[in-house]
Amino acid sequence: MVDAREGERTDEGEEGGRVIAPRPTEVSFSIPGNPVSHNRAWTIITWKPRAEAAARGAQPHASMKLTKEGAEFKVAVARAVALHRPNEWDRENEYIVEACYFFESRRPDVDGPGKLLLDALADFELELHRGHAMAFTGLFSNDRRVWKFTQQRELDAENPRAEITVKLRYPWRPQQRGLLG
Protein backbone atom coordinates (compact mmCIF):
# COMPACT_ATOMS: atom_id res chain seq x y z
CA MET A 1 0.00 0.00 0.00
CA VAL A 2 1.25 3.50 -0.84
CA ASP A 3 0.63 6.28 1.65
CA ALA A 4 -0.11 9.70 0.26
CA ARG A 5 2.23 12.49 1.29
CA GLU A 6 0.77 15.64 2.75
CA GLY A 7 -0.86 17.74 0.03
CA GLU A 8 -1.26 14.84 -2.39
CA ARG A 9 -4.65 13.96 -3.76
CA THR A 10 -5.77 10.38 -3.25
CA ASP A 11 -8.64 8.37 -4.68
CA GLU A 12 -10.11 5.16 -3.41
CA GLY A 13 -8.95 2.34 -5.66
CA GLU A 14 -10.47 -1.07 -6.24
CA GLU A 15 -11.22 -3.08 -3.08
CA GLY A 16 -10.87 0.02 -0.91
CA GLY A 17 -7.13 0.53 -1.48
CA ARG A 18 -5.76 4.07 -1.68
CA VAL A 19 -4.23 5.14 -4.98
CA ILE A 20 -2.34 8.36 -5.61
CA ALA A 21 -3.92 10.14 -8.56
CA PRO A 22 -1.37 11.21 -11.17
CA ARG A 23 -0.54 14.89 -11.38
CA PRO A 24 -0.71 16.66 -14.74
CA THR A 25 2.59 16.89 -16.63
CA GLU A 26 1.53 19.02 -19.60
CA VAL A 27 -0.98 21.66 -20.65
CA SER A 28 -2.09 22.37 -24.23
CA PHE A 29 -4.35 25.07 -25.63
CA SER A 30 -4.95 27.23 -28.69
CA ILE A 31 -5.17 31.02 -29.09
CA PRO A 32 -7.37 32.06 -32.05
CA GLY A 33 -6.25 34.75 -34.48
CA ASN A 34 -2.92 35.72 -36.00
CA PRO A 35 -0.10 35.44 -33.43
CA VAL A 36 1.32 38.86 -32.63
CA SER A 37 4.96 39.41 -33.56
CA HIS A 38 7.45 41.21 -31.35
CA ASN A 39 7.56 44.11 -33.82
CA ARG A 40 3.78 44.62 -33.67
CA ALA A 41 3.64 44.12 -29.90
CA TRP A 42 5.91 47.00 -28.95
CA THR A 43 6.28 50.63 -29.94
CA ILE A 44 9.00 53.14 -29.10
CA ILE A 45 7.95 56.18 -27.11
CA THR A 46 10.07 59.23 -26.26
CA TRP A 47 9.93 60.77 -22.82
CA LYS A 48 10.60 64.49 -22.70
CA PRO A 49 11.96 65.81 -19.42
CA ARG A 50 9.86 68.19 -17.35
CA ALA A 51 10.79 71.85 -17.53
CA GLU A 52 12.74 71.85 -14.26
CA ALA A 53 14.66 68.69 -15.27
CA ALA A 54 15.37 70.11 -18.73
CA ALA A 55 16.75 73.24 -17.06
CA ARG A 56 19.26 70.98 -15.24
CA GLY A 57 20.31 69.45 -18.57
CA ALA A 58 18.15 66.31 -18.62
CA GLN A 59 17.76 64.84 -22.09
CA PRO A 60 14.76 63.07 -23.66
CA HIS A 61 15.00 59.28 -23.61
CA ALA A 62 13.27 56.47 -25.45
CA SER A 63 11.40 53.53 -23.95
CA MET A 64 9.34 50.59 -25.20
CA LYS A 65 5.58 50.45 -24.63
CA LEU A 66 3.29 47.49 -25.19
CA THR A 67 0.80 48.21 -27.99
CA LYS A 68 -2.91 47.52 -27.70
CA GLU A 69 -2.50 44.54 -30.04
CA GLY A 70 0.34 43.16 -27.89
CA ALA A 71 -1.66 43.64 -24.70
CA GLU A 72 -4.68 41.87 -26.21
CA PHE A 73 -2.53 38.88 -27.20
CA LYS A 74 -0.98 38.65 -23.71
CA VAL A 75 -4.44 38.78 -22.10
CA ALA A 76 -5.77 36.12 -24.52
CA VAL A 77 -2.89 33.81 -23.56
CA ALA A 78 -3.38 34.56 -19.84
CA ARG A 79 -7.11 33.75 -20.09
CA ALA A 80 -6.35 30.45 -21.84
CA VAL A 81 -3.78 29.63 -19.15
CA ALA A 82 -6.33 30.34 -16.41
CA LEU A 83 -8.89 28.07 -18.11
CA HIS A 84 -6.51 25.17 -18.79
CA ARG A 85 -4.07 25.26 -15.85
CA PRO A 86 -4.76 22.25 -13.61
CA ASN A 87 -5.23 22.92 -9.89
CA GLU A 88 -2.20 20.82 -9.03
CA TRP A 89 0.11 22.28 -11.69
CA ASP A 90 3.74 22.41 -10.54
CA ARG A 91 4.80 26.07 -10.75
CA GLU A 92 8.26 25.40 -9.27
CA ASN A 93 9.54 23.07 -12.02
CA GLU A 94 11.44 23.79 -15.23
CA TYR A 95 9.47 23.74 -18.46
CA ILE A 96 9.52 22.72 -22.10
CA VAL A 97 7.39 24.99 -24.31
CA GLU A 98 6.31 24.05 -27.83
CA ALA A 99 4.54 26.60 -30.01
CA CYS A 100 3.11 26.14 -33.47
CA TYR A 101 1.96 29.36 -35.15
CA PHE A 102 -0.62 29.12 -37.92
CA PHE A 103 -0.42 32.39 -39.86
CA GLU A 104 -2.80 33.57 -42.56
CA SER A 105 0.14 34.36 -44.88
CA ARG A 106 3.76 33.29 -45.35
CA ARG A 107 5.09 36.74 -44.47
CA PRO A 108 5.60 36.57 -40.66
CA ASP A 109 8.83 35.15 -39.23
CA VAL A 110 8.66 32.00 -37.13
CA ASP A 111 10.38 33.66 -34.16
CA GLY A 112 8.26 36.84 -34.12
CA PRO A 113 5.71 35.90 -31.43
CA GLY A 114 8.13 33.91 -29.23
CA LYS A 115 9.21 36.51 -26.66
CA LEU A 116 5.70 37.87 -26.20
CA LEU A 117 4.31 34.34 -25.82
CA LEU A 118 6.84 33.40 -23.12
CA ASP A 119 6.10 36.65 -21.27
CA ALA A 120 2.36 35.88 -21.44
CA LEU A 121 2.80 32.32 -20.13
CA ALA A 122 4.57 33.67 -17.03
CA ASP A 123 3.16 35.82 -14.21
CA PHE A 124 2.77 39.46 -15.29
CA GLU A 125 1.01 42.71 -14.52
CA LEU A 126 -0.63 44.81 -17.20
CA GLU A 127 -1.54 48.46 -16.75
CA LEU A 128 -5.13 48.82 -17.96
CA HIS A 129 -5.50 52.51 -17.16
CA ARG A 130 -3.10 54.96 -15.62
CA GLY A 131 -2.47 53.73 -12.10
CA HIS A 132 -4.69 50.62 -12.47
CA ALA A 133 -2.85 47.35 -13.10
CA MET A 134 -4.18 43.81 -13.29
CA ALA A 135 -2.10 40.80 -12.23
CA PHE A 136 -2.16 37.53 -14.18
CA THR A 137 -0.91 34.19 -12.84
CA GLY A 138 0.84 32.12 -15.47
CA LEU A 139 2.00 28.53 -15.75
CA PHE A 140 5.33 29.59 -14.18
CA SER A 141 6.57 32.58 -12.23
CA ASN A 142 9.17 33.74 -14.76
CA ASP A 143 10.14 32.72 -18.28
CA ARG A 144 13.69 32.06 -17.02
CA ARG A 145 12.24 28.73 -15.85
CA VAL A 146 11.77 27.65 -19.49
CA TRP A 147 14.46 25.09 -20.28
CA LYS A 148 13.58 24.42 -23.92
CA PHE A 149 11.49 26.46 -26.36
CA THR A 150 10.62 25.26 -29.87
CA GLN A 151 8.68 27.23 -32.47
CA GLN A 152 7.16 26.14 -35.74
CA ARG A 153 5.40 28.10 -38.48
CA GLU A 154 2.48 26.81 -40.55
CA LEU A 155 0.05 28.35 -43.01
CA ASP A 156 -3.72 28.38 -42.39
CA ALA A 157 -5.39 31.35 -44.05
CA GLU A 158 -8.85 30.33 -42.83
CA ASN A 159 -7.99 29.62 -39.17
CA PRO A 160 -4.89 31.51 -37.95
CA ARG A 161 -3.94 30.60 -34.37
CA ALA A 162 -1.20 29.67 -31.96
CA GLU A 163 -1.16 26.15 -30.52
CA ILE A 164 0.84 25.94 -27.31
CA THR A 165 1.98 23.00 -25.21
CA VAL A 166 3.85 23.39 -21.92
CA LYS A 167 5.42 20.30 -20.35
CA LEU A 168 7.13 19.78 -17.03
CA ARG A 169 10.82 19.07 -17.47
CA TYR A 170 10.80 16.90 -14.35
CA PRO A 171 7.45 15.07 -14.15
CA TRP A 172 6.28 14.27 -10.64
CA ARG A 173 6.59 10.64 -9.55
CA PRO A 174 4.97 9.22 -6.42
CA GLN A 175 7.31 7.96 -3.75
CA GLN A 176 6.55 4.71 -2.00
CA ARG A 177 7.19 4.69 1.70
CA GLY A 178 6.76 2.15 4.40
CA LEU A 179 7.58 -0.86 2.27
CA LEU A 180 10.60 -1.97 4.27
CA GLY A 181 9.32 -1.33 7.72
Side-chain angles (χ1 to χ4, degrees):
M1 182 169 146
V2 178
D3 291 330
R5 293 181 295 178
E6 186 175 330
E8 292 175 347
R9 183 180 59 147
T10 60
D11 296 322
E12 293 298 322
E14 293 181 23
E15 301 177 20
R18 291 173 58 95
V19 177
I20 297 178
R23 291 185 179 179
T25 60
E26 78 176 51
V27 175
S28 294
F29 54 90
S30 182
I31 306 298
N34 257 322
V36 178
S37 72
H38 183 76
N39 293 337
R40 289 189 355 236
W42 297 94
T43 187
I44 298 173
I45 58 172
T46 303
W47 296 91
K48 296 179 182 175
R50 293 193 171 117
E52 61 273 5
R56 293 190 310 266
Q59 297 293 316
H61 69 278
S63 184
M64 300 290 286
K65 181 181 178 191
L66 192 62
T67 64
K68 181 180 178 187
E69 187 178 13
E72 288 171 353
F73 181 76
K74 282 184 81 168
V75 169
V77 172
R79 286 182 177 153
V81 165
L83 285 172
H84 294 91
R85 182 183 54 242
N87 290 335
E88 297 176 5
W89 181 252
D90 183 358
R91 288 179 33 90
E92 302 302 319
N93 210 309
E94 290 177 347
Y95 306 91
I96 298 166
V97 178
E98 299 168 354
C100 186
Y101 311 119
F102 292 83
F103 293 105
E104 63 185 3
S105 74
R106 294 193 182 277
R107 188 167 188 270
D109 293 337
V110 69
D111 63 342
K115 175 70 174 128
L116 187 64
L117 174 64
L118 290 178
D119 288 345
L121 290 171
D123 296 350
F124 70 93
E125 279 192 11
L126 186 63
E127 187 172 340
L128 303 174
H129 308 288
R130 186 172 222 146
H132 298 284
M134 186 169 186
F136 295 89
T137 302
L139 291 171
F140 35 83
S141 58
N142 191 298
D143 60 4
R144 287 184 299 234
R145 300 194 72 88
V146 174
W147 184 257
K148 182 179 179 183
F149 181 40
T150 59
Q151 300 177 91
Q152 178 179 338
R153 179 180 74 167
E154 296 290 341
L155 181 64
D156 189 344
E158 295 178 14
N159 185 22
R161 64 196 179 281
E163 292 181 355
I164 300 134
T165 299
V166 179
K167 300 176 183 178
L168 300 180
R169 181 171 182 219
Y170 301 108
W172 176 83
R173 290 178 174 61
Q175 295 179 356
Q176 295 182 350
R177 288 192 255 158
L179 294 176
L180 299 175

